[in-house]
Amino acid sequence: MADILCFSRNRCTSIEHVDDQTIRSTCRVQDNLMDAYVEIMVKLPDLELIQAKGEIRRSPQGTDLIILDDLQKVAGSRVGPGIRKIIGSIVEHVPYAESVATLLDECCNGVILSFARDVFLNAPQDKAGEKLFFANMVKANPRLYNSCAALTPDSPLMESLELDKN
Amino acid sequence: MLKFTRNKLATVYRKDGRTLAVHGVLEDDIYGFEVDLDIGLFNLEILAIRGKWNRMENSECPRAIPFLQEAVGFRMNEEDFTRKVQKIVGRKACRHFADLILECCQTAKDAATMILQEEGQEKPPDIEIDELFGKSKPAISVQEKNHPPGPEVTGGMVIDLHVHSLPASPCSTISVEQLIEQAKEIGLDGICLTDHNHLWAPNQVEDLRQKHDFLILRGNEITTEQGDILVFGLEEEVKGVIKLEALREKVLQAGGFMIVAHPFRGFLTFGVGYLGLTKEKAMARPVFKWVDAVEVLNSKVSEEENSFAAQVAAGLGLPVTGGSDAHGPGEVGNYATRFPGLIQNEQDLIKALKKGGYSPVTFRNK
């Protein structure tokens, strides 16, 4: 028997720099049960959320359009640590709260990753340069130390950091 | 101009009568990887997991692959499933892999619900939003007891104003008993329990204080739309996220004190230049209008972020404090606050915070 899919989900997040001070982040999910999107506008330099909107176009309940008006309550918060908790509170009473929270979370995560991309564009390709680059990154941001398998104390990328400690 | 895209695809097919096979792919500007999971149709247990990098951030990212196995045996209907994946797979392996695993699991759960409903069988239990973000507890009315005077202190008292214990703070990995033992061991004069949106009962804290013969105070780290605020003297359990202005009103009425915790946590990760954040712009943030002091030494943020917070506080003329923000062993007392006078109870602490003259200190040898 062919292994026919019984369920499929696509989630796409895209981040645009609208102008020097404004970022638009959009996340759309489409699967067998749901078609929904959330869009946020973020202002630099504080990464302040200035606008949030979204729609559920199709859901397990049918194809009636659900406009997610309550998302605008997130305005005034900043994209960064702690935003997940704020999102959880804001969407608590929104239809399909868990799915909407994920969409908002993806939008915020995408904004951060768009800046991370710029950082990694400058990462050296050679081994020695790479070690120095990541050791310096962890020195500047100590919470990254031991935050994943690549940045554990015994990782080669952390060698120079260990030497500094000694 | 398009700056970044992330695409995630999760597909599910029935491997056999009891097992779902889930394939997940993540492709974005930085990362490219795949996972394959076998998931029990009825119990939603992760039975097997395989992962593969296609593109990665650095040459050591492949070290993450063996740690994906840590998720085998996790069940989606278990309490704290999401947090376990984020904490265990996310930290030991890679948070992006953890993210894709969670996407695959959520997809599998929806698929299982659909399959079982179509077949007229029982629906797997839902994971509610409360389980993802933590459930608030009902309000407790409290009154502090009179404490016996503590040991005579010369040169003031050094108190860690910001610590988290398990289970009151699910993100912590250290029990309150261990925290106290370690605080005593390194010579702190006291600690203040500031668990997230959790108010300790005074009798519990009193019992701990007597048992350990050590100054233990109560505070609370409350989430607002403007970030985390350390609150002292508010005898109310605040649920979820509260507007900072509303919190300020409550604290003023209670005669309490508010400190903005780690105000620039994460904001300087990419360097001030990337965001264009200047001291002047930061000083204009609304949060500083509603707090009494600024935490400028916190061991969970970078030196640069602490230093920036200190510059902003100085620019605004706000008092400054230090706290470890301890969440695990060996962290309590990394930073603390030195008070010039004697503090024996929570009233003394609030009086001292309002009076001023205290300073943040590096306490534990880092």
Side-chain angles (χ1 to χ4, degrees):
Chain A
M1 190 185 104
D3 293 326
I4 304 293
L5 289 184
C6 57
F7 200 94
S8 178
R9 173 173 296 167
N10 272 285
R11 188 186 299 280
C12 176
T13 310
S14 56
I15 287 81
E16 295 163 79
H17 283 210
V18 179
D19 56 45
D20 286 351
Q21 293 298 306
T22 320
I23 297 170
R24 179 193 294 125
S25 179
T26 313
C27 182
R28 181 170 182 186
V29 66
Q30 286 182 291
D31 63 30
N32 295 49
L33 299 170
M34 185 171 275
D35 179 359
Y37 88 96
V38 163
E39 180 184 296
I40 61 170
M41 298 288 267
V42 174
K43 204 165 174 59
L44 292 171
D46 267 348
L47 297 183
E48 182 189 348
L49 281 146
I50 52 173
Q51 196 185 81
K53 60 181 182 180
E55 290 175 1
I56 298 174
R57 294 162 178 172
R58 176 168 52 80
S59 69
Q61 258 75 58
T63 53
D64 288 346
L65 184 71
I66 302 170
I67 309 276
L68 301 166
D69 291 325
D70 278 357
L71 297 191
Q72 187 55 25
K73 287 180 186 166
V74 81
S77 301
R78 288 183 301 274
V79 174
I83 190 67
R84 189 173 280 175
K85 204 188 284 181
I86 292 171
I87 289 171
S89 164
I90 282 165
V91 304
E92 205 173 2
H93 303 296
V94 164
Y96 303 103
E98 197 179 326
S99 301
V100 175
T102 305
L103 286 163
L104 253 178
D105 190 35
E106 292 279 349
C107 285
C108 294
N109 197 27
V111 171
I112 300 291
L113 285 167
S114 72
F115 287 100
R117 175 187 176 276
D118 291 342
V119 174
F120 295 128
L121 271 176
N122 297 320
Q125 297 294 311
D126 64 294
K127 275 275 177 195
E130 186 192 36
K131 281 181 184 178
L132 189 64
F133 178 86
F134 281 95
N136 284 337
M137 193 169 93
V138 170
K139 257 187 216 168
N141 303 285
R143 64 182 164 274
L144 295 177
Y145 188 62
N146 216 4
S147 65
C148 68
L151 304 179
T152 52
D154 62 341
S155 163
L157 295 180
M158 298 292 100
E159 273 170 12
S160 64
L161 205 68
E162 289 302 306
L163 285 174
D164 281 358
K165 279 183 176 175
N166 296 332
Chain B
M1 186 181 71
L2 198 62
K3 187 75 191 296
F4 182 87
T5 56
R6 169 169 278 196
N7 286 288
K8 285 192 280 185
L9 172 68
T11 56
V12 186
Y13 74 91
R14 277 184 91 160
K15 196 171 180 178
D16 57 43
R18 306 182 62 81
T19 315
L20 297 176
V22 190
H23 182 64
V25 181
L26 184 148
E27 282 288 333
D28 67 25
D29 290 45
I30 306 169
Y31 308 98
F33 54 87
E34 300 173 36
V35 288
D36 282 287
L37 294 107
D38 288 351
I39 291 175
L41 172 63
F42 300 103
N43 60 10
L44 297 176
E45 180 178 327
I46 299 177
L47 305 169
I49 186 164
R50 297 163 296 282
K52 182 179 93 163
W53 282 105
N54 297 323
R55 290 179 301 110
M56 59 202 99
E57 174 190 305
N58 62 60
S59 62
E60 295 304 319
C61 287
R63 293 162 64 98
I65 299 297
F67 292 105
L68 301 182
Q69 299 309 315
E70 302 265 346
V72 173
F74 288 3
R75 288 184 182 194
M76 277 168 252
N77 48 19
E78 276 173 353
E79 196 180 343
D80 230 15
F81 168 77
T82 302
R83 194 181 290 274
K84 264 166 66 182
V85 173
Q86 285 167 341
K87 213 168 173 173
I88 297 172
V89 179
R91 290 193 75 87
K92 286 189 180 175
C94 165
R95 71 185 179 90
H96 302 286
F97 258 108
D99 179 55
L100 184 60
I101 290 169
L102 287 172
E103 185 79 62
C104 288
C105 288
Q106 192 54 52
T107 305
K109 187 178 165 221
D110 286 347
T113 304
M114 209 175 74
I115 291 166
L116 296 178
Q117 278 176 351
E118 279 171 8
E119 293 180 358
Q121 296 190 52
E122 197 184 328
K123 180 176 168 275
D126 283 332
I127 298 173
E128 300 293 343
I129 197 86
D130 278 345
E131 290 173 33
L132 292 172
F133 297 103
K135 211 169 209 168
S136 303
K137 293 187 177 155
I140 309 165
S141 171
V142 291
Q143 276 197 335
E144 193 179 12
K145 290 178 186 174
N146 290 324
H147 299 303
E152 197 177 325
V153 179
T154 53
M157 292 181 78
V158 180
I159 299 172
D160 188 339
L161 288 178
H162 190 171
V163 301
H164 297 273
S165 63
L166 188 72
S169 291
C171 50
S172 176
T173 56
I174 184 167
S175 71
V176 70
E177 300 277 348
Q178 288 173 295
L179 263 177
I180 296 165
E181 287 302 331
Q182 292 187 7
K184 285 178 74 172
E185 208 174 287
I186 62 168
L188 276 170
D189 296 310
I191 58 169
C192 192
L193 301 173
T194 51
D195 288 301
H196 296 287
N197 295 67
H198 175 91
L199 189 65
W200 279 83
N203 58 330
Q204 271 182 296
V205 173
E206 182 60 30
D207 289 349
L208 285 167
R209 183 178 166 140
Q210 286 184 9
K211 181 179 169 190
H212 294 276
D213 189 26
F214 187 68
L215 178 65
I216 302 157
L217 303 162
R218 296 176 309 141
N220 202 332
E221 187 171 22
I222 294 175
T223 306
T224 75
E225 90 289 0
Q226 293 288 322
D228 291 341
I229 308 291
L230 296 170
V231 173
F232 304 89
L234 180 66
E235 300 292 357
E236 181 185 334
E237 184 118 339
V238 176
K239 294 177 181 179
V241 180
I242 184 171
K243 284 269 179 194
L244 181 59
E245 205 174 332
L247 179 64
R248 180 66 180 172
E249 204 171 305
K250 284 175 187 286
V251 174
L252 279 178
Q253 276 175 9
F257 196 85
M258 289 165 70
I259 302 169
V260 56
H262 41 66
F264 299 102
R265 185 177 65 175
F267 272 84
L268 304 182
T269 301
F270 307 110
V272 184
Y274 280 92
L275 294 175
L277 186 62
T278 62
K279 182 182 135 186
E280 288 69 30
K281 283 180 182 171
M283 281 164 60
R285 279 189 177 183
V287 66
F288 297 112
K289 291 179 196 152
W290 303 103
V291 295
D292 302 299
V294 182
E295 185 185 59
V296 301
L297 282 183
N298 174 299
S299 61
K300 294 293 175 185
V301 308
S302 68
E303 282 177 25
E304 194 188 4
E305 286 161 347
N306 275 332
S307 159
F308 193 68
Q311 289 173 43
V312 169
L316 291 164
L318 285 168
V320 292
T321 65
S324 66
D325 202 356
H327 281 73
E331 293 179 355
V332 65
N334 276 342
Y335 295 125
T337 303
R338 183 183 294 280
F339 291 90
L342 185 66
I343 291 170
Q344 292 178 287
N345 53 42
E346 286 163 24
Q347 283 80 21
D348 287 351
L349 173 68
I350 290 162
K351 217 180 282 175
L353 283 168
K354 288 182 175 175
K355 192 177 171 192
Y358 44 84
S359 53
V361 292
T362 302
F363 192 78
R364 188 191 280 264
N365 285 330
K366 292 186 80 186

